[in-house]
Amino acid sequence: NFICEWVEGGCIIPPTYIPAMKRSSPENEEAASSTEEKRQRSPSFQQPSDVLHLNVGGTLTAVLRRTLTSIEGSMLASRFSGRWDDSLEKDRDGNFFIDQPIGLFQPMIDYLRAKACETMLAPPVTSPEFDDVRKLKDFVRMVEYFGMTAGIYPTELEMCRGEISASKISGHPHLGVISSEYATFTLETRGHKRPIRSFSVILGDVEKIEIGLVRANHFVKKLRKGDHRGVGMERYTFCLDCSQGGLLYEGSFTKLDGLSTEKGTLIRCENKGERWLVNGQVVASSIALEDSFHLPPDLQQYSLIP
């Protein structure tokens, strides 16, 4: 393993990993130069910031490569990263062909363009909307196919209860919250019904924190000042109570060993609470039902034991 530092236009590799280069003859250098020039003249050759010419379902359009690749980890970002240009489908004029209706693909591109120039002084960019329900379903299906759901319909962190002026929330792609007072925050999806099944939380400097789940439609969302019961204390909620070091379900507490609230601790919830991990170690799972937990039948998936 070695460390390389990325810089504009490439990366710096430690000298010990640079192989010895053979001396090239002028003839070889000229041939290589000619080959490179031909490659750069090819319709499929693009630099990361160049314009890509697309044929979307028969309609020609153009878009910056960095726009198509702005959602990291998506199929669209991988496909147009530049690595696969030679193998991608093209029309007879060399335009990259995308077999989708322009009426679905264009709103997605327009949204990505709007996000690229989003500022704090302007209203936030909203996800594409459609009056036609069927068209909306087709759009969501296409977005899911390209792996763009997290970017087009980002998960949002919202205050549920507490004092708004005492908290600061950061949005997608790096969700985070800083709060000087005790408050409740929820992860919310927008524009689709794909549920949040797993999530991870990296702790900062915290004095008290509970991380948990609630059954849909059973948590009263009402901003209010003053004391209130958080997740794990409300009915139909349970949580990992890092401050007390245990599991909390509707106010019933079970002590766990090994919980930490140190800065940098990684807490992960998997499959809607079936497994809880702290720094990669399982601290609770749904193997059986603890006597102190009395869950209704439709919440059996949340049955946790240490």
Side-chain angles (χ1 to χ4, degrees):
N1 296 327
F2 64 91
I3 298 174
C4 64
E5 178 185 4
W6 284 99
V7 296
E8 185 176 359
C11 66
I12 301 173
I13 302 177
T16 54
Y17 290 91
I18 300 178
M21 303 295 291
K22 293 183 178 179
R23 184 180 298 276
S24 301
S25 65
E27 292 80 8
N28 291 338
E29 292 178 356
E30 183 177 352
S33 176
S34 177
T35 301
E36 179 63 18
E37 289 177 0
K38 291 180 181 179
R39 189 174 76 88
Q40 293 188 17
R41 287 197 298 269
S42 170
S44 64
F45 176 81
Q46 299 287 342
Q47 295 292 340
S49 61
D50 279 348
V51 175
L52 298 180
H53 296 276
L54 309 178
N55 181 338
V56 183
T59 301
L60 299 181
T61 187
V63 61
L64 288 174
R65 186 187 295 271
R66 65 170 173 263
T67 300
L68 283 181
T69 60
S70 59
I71 307 301
E72 297 182 7
S74 67
M75 181 205 295
L76 205 62
S78 176
R79 179 177 294 185
F80 290 99
S81 64
R83 297 179 59 192
W84 317 110
D85 285 357
D86 292 336
S87 61
L88 294 179
E89 298 92 344
K90 303 179 186 67
D91 64 15
R92 63 185 178 183
D93 297 321
N95 302 300
F96 293 102
F97 185 77
I98 296 178
D99 194 18
Q100 295 288 340
I102 189 66
L104 297 180
F105 195 80
Q106 192 65 54
M108 182 173 68
I109 297 303
D110 291 341
Y111 172 82
L112 296 177
R113 287 169 171 163
K115 291 294 290 184
C117 59
E118 189 175 31
T119 68
M120 295 295 293
L121 301 179
V125 179
T126 58
S127 303
E129 298 179 355
F130 299 88
D131 294 330
D132 189 327
V133 175
R134 181 174 180 179
K135 191 172 183 179
L136 173 60
K137 291 181 178 179
D138 290 340
F139 178 78
V140 171
R141 186 183 300 110
M142 181 196 67
V143 168
E144 186 74 14
Y145 170 76
F146 284 122
M148 304 283 285
T149 301
I152 303 301
Y153 296 113
T155 300
E156 298 176 357
L157 191 61
E158 295 184 349
M159 173 175 276
C160 175
R161 296 173 179 173
E163 180 59 54
I164 297 178
S165 61
S167 302
K168 180 179 180 182
I169 300 175
S170 56
H172 181 81
H174 304 294
L175 299 177
V177 61
I178 299 175
S179 181
S180 59
E181 297 182 4
Y182 188 62
T184 302
F185 301 87
T186 58
L187 283 173
E188 302 284 347
T189 57
R190 293 288 181 267
H192 67 95
K193 297 181 179 180
R194 194 169 92 173
I196 299 173
R197 302 188 66 87
S198 302
F199 62 88
S200 299
V201 177
I202 300 177
L203 301 183
D205 294 317
V206 295
E207 294 182 4
K208 181 179 182 181
I209 183 168
E210 293 112 15
I211 304 170
L213 294 171
V214 59
R215 193 174 81 171
N217 303 322
H218 279 275
F219 200 52
V220 179
K221 293 185 178 182
K222 183 179 179 180
L223 291 172
R224 65 172 184 261
K225 299 180 181 180
D227 296 335
H228 62 269
R229 300 195 304 170
V231 64
M233 295 297 294
E234 295 278 2
R235 191 179 181 189
Y236 298 123
T237 71
F238 68 91
C239 75
L240 205 63
D241 189 330
C242 301
S243 305
Q244 299 185 71
L247 288 169
L248 191 61
Y249 171 71
E250 293 187 348
S252 179
F253 180 75
T254 301
K255 183 69 176 178
L256 294 176
D257 295 326
L259 289 190
S260 171
T261 57
E262 296 179 356
K263 183 177 181 179
T265 296
L266 174 62
I267 298 174
R268 179 165 177 78
C269 169
E270 295 184 345
N271 199 23
K272 293 186 176 182
E274 287 190 358
R275 290 212 317 166
W276 291 87
L277 300 91
V278 176
N279 292 329
Q281 300 296 318
V282 177
V283 296
S285 62
S286 57
I287 300 174
L289 185 63
E290 181 78 54
D291 290 339
S292 60
F293 291 80
H294 302 286
L295 299 175
D298 58 345
L299 285 180
Q300 290 301 311
Q301 62 172 320
Y302 298 141
S303 306
L304 298 175
I305 67 165

